Amino acid sequence: MKMMPLERRGISNSRLVLGCMGLGGSWNSADPVTSSHIRQAEEAVEAALSIGITMYDHADIYKRGKAESVFGQVLKQQPRLREQIVIQSKVGIHLSDGILPQRYNFSKGHILHSVDGILERLGTQYLDVLLLHRPDPLMEPDEIAEAFTMLKLTGKVRNFGVSNMSPGQIRFLQSALPDPFVVNQLEMSLLRHHWVDPGILHINQKADLKDSFPEGLMEFMQMENIQIQAWGPLSQGRFSGKESDNATEAEMKTAALVQQIADENETTPEAIVLAWLMKHPACIQPVIGTVNPKRIIACKDAARQAEIMTREQWYTLLVSARGVNMP
């Protein structure tokens, strides 16, 4: 299998990332972090490490900071673990407080303040990667560059990236930054398969653009050696055993097909769902959102399945998920 962009940059060779949004209990900031929440984090990290996951994804808003806090407790109890793993977090979203709406903020002051909070909650001196969480319409590249330069010079952040951004937005920001972005994190899965559409359905076709994906994004990421990370890659278990009252006919047929391929390959449905993403030449790196140890371990075989998945299987899964034939 090809080397991932992060691996080529010497940052990480972890084929999967553990997304930590599920840690820390409820989204109510008034609810305290308990010993059971810390134990949940320990078990999730243990399961992830057991299948070779060494990269962990956070954001300052996850459980309103509590996800990072419980992960920080895991690091505190295992001091040697920090140098064995890669930690990334995200900044830029203000959650609604009931008075003001949810909004985005890429101002220098907010970025610097947010990173200090992240480092304090995690109990670490640096982040391996910092991502700008969602595009801020008011973002100014020069101001962001000032913040990033300070974070780099003080050793608080080693690498930078973005999340949910288009090629145009990345070029706009990159024009003022001295260091290249190393990651762009996007929602991609067998359920949210619209990232395939621009290269097939938007060329000389009457495409349904209600779920459009930025034109040329996949090609741009590969040309710029930017790691594509897929959030939501397991689709909340829709294709790996979770029952849903509102599943479409296409989803039900695809779940059956995933199970069939998994049975034939003597593996798990989770591995097949992830392998479908990882088969792509862009070396997509799934960020699995489950913190259930059994489901984490069920993802173990994904990289091997990506290597052996045939083109025919890949297209069959795509057509099944789309619910209509290719043009």
Side-chain angles (χ1 to χ4, degrees), residues 147-159:
F148 282 9
T149 298
M150 290 185 64
L151 292 171
K152 192 76 176 284
L153 288 175
T154 55
K156 293 179 180 180
V157 178
R158 296 182 173 178
N159 302 278

Side-chain angles (χ1 to χ4, degrees), residues 202-220:
H202 299 181
I203 307 299
N204 199 32
Q205 298 290 325
K206 293 181 179 179
D208 180 359
L209 299 180
K210 66 179 181 179
D211 287 310
S212 63
F213 201 83
E215 195 79 43
L217 179 57
M218 297 300 293
E219 294 80 5
F220 176 77

Side-chain angles (χ1 to χ4, degrees), residues 226-284:
I226 299 175
Q227 181 69 59
I228 299 175
Q229 292 181 343
W231 63 268
L234 292 171
S235 306
Q236 292 84 45
R238 283 178 180 262
F239 304 121
S240 52
K242 182 179 179 180
E243 295 185 5
S244 175
D245 293 334
N246 61 349
T248 65
E249 182 179 358
E251 288 171 16
M252 290 187 287
K253 288 183 177 180
T254 303
L257 179 58
V258 167
Q259 186 63 61
Q260 176 187 328
I261 297 174
D263 290 342
E264 291 172 353
N265 291 5
E266 298 182 342
T267 191
T268 63
E270 288 86 353
I272 298 301
V273 169
L274 296 177
W276 184 78
L277 282 172
M278 296 163 72
K279 178 72 175 178
H280 193 275
C283 296
I284 297 166

